[in-house]
């Protein structure tokens, strides 16, 4: 394998046009761009971050479970569940009896006896009950159900945002590991060029064979590192597929690179937390639910007034009735409407309502403490994430400048080695320096993107609108 140097001069010139002309070789090896497709890993189907997020929102089990909980909370918001509608029940009873009857009286000394006398009874009715006043408790209960629905919506939104953040991190982890594979590939290119040049020098007698063997050992070390990096890439793909609820062996190639938003403002993040953070919204709604619970207990102190009504049919067929000494069948039937008013006034319940009201006030205080704790935790998370974000941006600028120098250094070192002006040890050190710089750049770019994702999640900007429950 021969290493071509014809295409690298243009790239090096674009990267550092101000390099002294005396240090520029006539031709330079191409260190390669990090976004080129690696040849050592088979190319899988392209997957963009937007498509990954869409698949995750549709398939992720955590989101689907949260959506089902939201659907249950939505179904619970009915006037009937709040007690505002009447209840109507229909009842039907049919009884059969078989009796042995013996009757005797002072006016009739001889007993009247009936064996196996059959009787039956039919009872059917429709009953209506409707509470028309309960201290406005039914309206408070309805508002409470609506608040619980809103609270569950915030739970779903928080689950969605956490899942999208996890998918984003997992996706860019694949991008990072893919970039490291490309960095190792470029190291192998340089290593192969070193072997070819050393072989040529050995052939003409200007280099010892030990230098060729050393170059081959270094090349094999780089190949070993590449194999280990391929394992890390495969693991990153499995993690991403797991978040997308896809088979773990599903292959993919990231279509997007890591682009960090460098313009996030701290004040905008803090304002977004106050206005949109779902965890903070849950805590605020928790105070409202606790207050509704207290008002429901207060409403139970008022009289309850209800209406009742119905229609009933009752028929009795008695086959064991005596008229004188004769056994006859006696049939009776009643039917008609009934209606009325039912009122209940609480007088004394062992001070249980007072106890419940005290507990309800304590629950309100606890909900407020939860809100304060949530605000404090979110502020701490935002402060820490923003410090990491600013620090990583500075490191990113430093590494971006450093990688240009490292690539330029390798290009010059390889050309000087070709001309016999550089030792193999110095070339190897330049090669390792470039590889380390490539990996550091990928790592800090990924970490900066992570900090950006955390800030966007905390401020509620990562997901503008949570997907609706099915």
């Amino acid at each position: 394998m021969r290493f071509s140097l014809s295409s690298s001069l243009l790239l090096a010139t674009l990267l550092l046009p101000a390099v002294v002309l005396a240090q520029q070789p006539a031709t330079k090896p191409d260190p390669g761009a990090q976004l080129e497709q690696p040849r050592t890993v088979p190319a899988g189907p392209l997957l963009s971050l937007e498509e990954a997020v869409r698949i995750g929102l549709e398939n992720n089990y955590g989101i689907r479970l949260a959506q089902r909980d939201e659907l249950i909370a939505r179904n619970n918001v009915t006037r009937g569940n709040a007690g505002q509608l009447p209840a109507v029940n229909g009842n039907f009873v049919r009884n059969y009896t078989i009796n042995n009857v013996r009757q005797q009286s002072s006016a009739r000394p001889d007993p009247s006896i009936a064996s196996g006398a059959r009787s039956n009874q039919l009872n059917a009715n429709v009953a209506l009950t409707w509470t028309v006043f309960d201290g406005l408790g039914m309206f408070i209960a309805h508002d409470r159900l609506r608040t619980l629905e809103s609270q569950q919506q915030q739970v779903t939104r928080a689950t969605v945002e956490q899942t999208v953040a996890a998918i984003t991190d997992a996706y860019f982890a694949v991008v990072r590991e893919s970039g490291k594979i490309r960095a190792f590939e470029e190291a192998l290119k340089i290593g192969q060029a070193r072997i070819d040049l050393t072989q040529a020098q050995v052939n003409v007698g200007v280099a010892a064979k030990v230098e060729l063997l050393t170059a081959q050992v270094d090349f094999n070390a780089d190949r070993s590192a590449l194999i280990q990096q391929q394992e890390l890439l495969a693991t990153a793909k499995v993690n991403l597929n797991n978040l997308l609820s896809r088979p773990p062996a599903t292959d993919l190639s990231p279509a997007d690179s890591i682009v960090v938003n460098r313009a996030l403002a701290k004040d905008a993040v803090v304002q977004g937390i106050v206005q949109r953070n779902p965890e903070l919204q849950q805590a605020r709604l928790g105070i409202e639910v606790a207050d509704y619970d207290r008002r429901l207990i207060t409403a139970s102190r008022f009289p309850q007034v209800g209406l009742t009504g119905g229609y009933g049919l009752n028929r009795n067929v008695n086959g064991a009735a005596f008229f004188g000494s004769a056994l006859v069948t006696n049939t009776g039937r009643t039917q008609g409407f009934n209606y009325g008013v039912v009122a209940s006034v609480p007088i004394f319940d062992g001070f249980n309502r007072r106890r419940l009201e005290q507990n309800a006030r304590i629950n309100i205080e606890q909900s407020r403490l939860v809100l304060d704790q949530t605000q404090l935790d979110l502020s701490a998370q935002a402060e820490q994430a923003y410090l990491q974000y600013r620090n990583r941006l500075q490191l990113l600028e430093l590494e971006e400048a450093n990688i240009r120098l490292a690539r330029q250094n390798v290009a010059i070192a390889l050309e000087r080695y070709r001309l016999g002006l550089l030792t193999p040890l110095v070339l190897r050190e330049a090669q390792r320096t470039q590889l380390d710089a490539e990996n550091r750049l990928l790592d800090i770019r990924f970490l900066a993107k992570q900090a950006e994702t955390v800030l966007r999640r905390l401020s509620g900007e990562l997901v503008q609108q949570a997907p609706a429950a099915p």
Side-chain angles (χ1 to χ4, degrees):
M1 176 178 177
R2 309 295 290 177
F3 182 73
S4 175
L5 306 178
S6 60
S7 62
S8 59
L9 179 59
L10 178 60
L11 179 59
T13 303
L14 292 176
L15 291 176
L16 289 177
V19 177
V20 180
L21 294 178
Q23 293 182 333
Q24 289 186 350
T27 59
K28 299 178 182 178
D30 184 2
Q34 291 181 349
L35 299 183
E36 292 178 354
Q37 181 65 31
R39 292 184 298 276
T40 56
V41 177
L46 288 178
L47 179 68
S48 66
L49 176 60
E50 180 181 358
E51 181 68 10
V53 170
R54 183 191 65 79
I55 295 174
L57 293 180
E58 292 178 355
N59 299 334
N60 184 270
Y61 289 107
I63 294 177
R64 292 165 68 182
L65 290 172
Q67 288 175 334
R68 269 60 180 181
D69 290 337
E70 181 182 342
L71 186 58
I72 291 174
R74 183 187 308 165
N75 291 338
N76 287 336
V77 184
T78 64
R79 297 191 179 277
N81 192 26
Q84 297 181 12
L85 301 180
V88 180
N89 295 312
N91 303 295
F92 179 85
V93 179
R94 186 70 186 267
N95 289 325
Y96 296 88
T97 59
I98 301 176
N99 295 318
N100 296 322
V101 183
R102 185 178 188 276
Q103 291 185 356
Q104 186 177 9
S105 66
S106 59
R108 192 174 64 248
D110 296 331
S112 299
I113 299 174
S115 299
R118 297 177 179 272
S119 302
N120 64 80
Q121 181 184 27
L122 171 66
N123 183 277
N125 65 79
V126 177
L128 177 145
T129 58
W130 189 3
T131 300
V132 295
F133 180 78
D134 63 349
L136 303 180
M138 63 183 74
F139 300 100
I140 297 173
H142 190 262
D143 292 339
R144 180 180 180 275
L145 292 172
R146 287 189 177 278
T147 305
L148 287 174
E149 180 192 11
S150 299
Q151 193 175 38
Q152 185 58 48
Q153 288 174 348
Q154 295 301 323
V155 173
T156 302
R157 181 182 177 88
T159 303
V160 169
E161 290 189 347
Q162 292 168 0
T163 303
V164 171
I167 291 174
T168 302
D169 289 344
Y171 182 87
F172 287 124
V174 175
V175 176
R176 177 183 63 174
E177 304 305 334
S178 298
K180 288 186 177 182
I181 281 186
R182 290 187 279 272
F184 280 112
E185 286 183 335
E186 296 307 322
L188 288 177
K189 284 184 180 180
I190 297 171
Q192 184 62 54
R194 176 187 167 191
I195 292 175
D196 294 341
L197 292 174
T198 306
Q199 181 67 60
Q201 293 173 355
V202 170
N203 291 340
V204 298
V206 297
K209 188 175 181 180
V210 66
E211 295 182 2
L212 176 61
L213 296 176
T214 302
Q216 292 174 338
V217 169
D218 292 339
F219 182 81
N220 289 334
D222 291 339
R223 288 181 60 189
S224 175
L226 176 60
I227 293 174
Q228 297 177 46
Q229 183 59 39
Q230 289 174 338
E231 178 183 345
L232 294 176
L233 174 60
T235 301
K237 290 181 179 180
V238 170
N239 292 335
L240 178 58
N241 285 324
N242 183 49
L243 289 171
L244 303 184
S245 298
R246 303 198 305 181
T250 303
D251 197 10
L252 62 99
S253 293
D256 296 327
S257 58
I258 304 177
V259 179
V260 182
N261 183 354
R262 311 190 185 201
L264 293 181
K266 184 177 180 180
D267 293 339
V269 172
V270 174
Q271 184 178 5
I273 291 175
V274 174
Q275 295 178 351
R276 295 184 296 271
N277 185 272
E279 296 179 18
L280 198 60
Q281 299 301 325
Q282 289 178 53
R284 289 170 179 164
L285 292 171
I287 296 178
E288 295 185 24
V289 172
D291 185 62
Y292 283 131
D293 291 336
R294 180 194 61 80
R295 292 170 61 187
L296 282 173
I297 297 171
T298 302
S300 67
R301 291 184 176 275
F302 290 86
Q304 293 191 1
V305 180
L307 301 178
T308 62
Y311 176 84
L313 169 65
N314 189 8
R315 188 188 70 178
N316 289 316
V317 178
N318 189 355
F322 286 92
F323 186 76
S325 61
L327 181 65
V328 297
T329 299
N330 185 18
T331 302
R333 185 175 68 177
T334 58
Q335 64 184 43
F337 293 94
N338 62 84
Y339 53 89
V341 177
V342 177
S344 174
V345 181
I347 298 176
F348 180 74
D349 66 347
F351 303 108
N352 282 321
R353 285 187 178 84
R354 184 174 67 178
R355 172 181 58 81
L356 293 175
E357 286 181 340
Q358 292 173 346
N359 291 341
R361 291 190 181 94
I362 295 174
N363 287 334
I364 293 176
E365 294 177 1
Q366 287 181 327
S367 299
R368 288 172 179 165
L369 291 175
V370 170
L371 175 60
D372 294 341
Q373 182 64 54
T374 302
Q375 289 176 328
L376 182 62
D377 291 343
L378 292 174
S379 297
Q381 293 178 35
E383 184 70 21
Q384 181 180 8
Y386 194 77
L387 288 174
Q388 292 177 343
Y389 172 72
R390 297 305 307 172
N391 183 62
R392 290 168 183 178
L393 285 184
Q394 294 178 12
L395 292 174
L396 180 58
E397 293 177 359
L398 178 62
E399 293 299 339
E400 286 176 341
N402 192 48
I403 193 62
R404 291 191 289 268
L405 297 176
R407 290 173 178 173
Q408 175 71 18
N409 185 46
V410 168
I412 295 174
L414 187 59
E415 179 61 19
R416 289 173 62 84
Y417 182 77
R418 186 182 68 83
L419 298 175
L421 302 177
L422 201 68
T423 64
L425 182 61
V426 176
L427 175 60
R428 177 63 176 174
E429 183 62 27
Q431 178 189 8
R432 297 301 303 173
T433 300
Q434 178 186 343
L435 182 60
D436 292 342
E438 297 275 6
N439 290 335
R440 287 199 310 271
L441 175 60
L442 288 166
D443 287 336
I444 194 60
R445 194 174 282 166
F446 173 75
L447 292 175
K449 191 65 179 179
Q450 266 191 328
E452 175 199 335
T453 301
V454 171
L455 290 174
R456 293 179 60 198
R457 178 182 63 81
L458 291 174
S459 61
E461 293 182 353
L462 194 60
V463 178
Q464 297 300 323
Q465 183 176 4

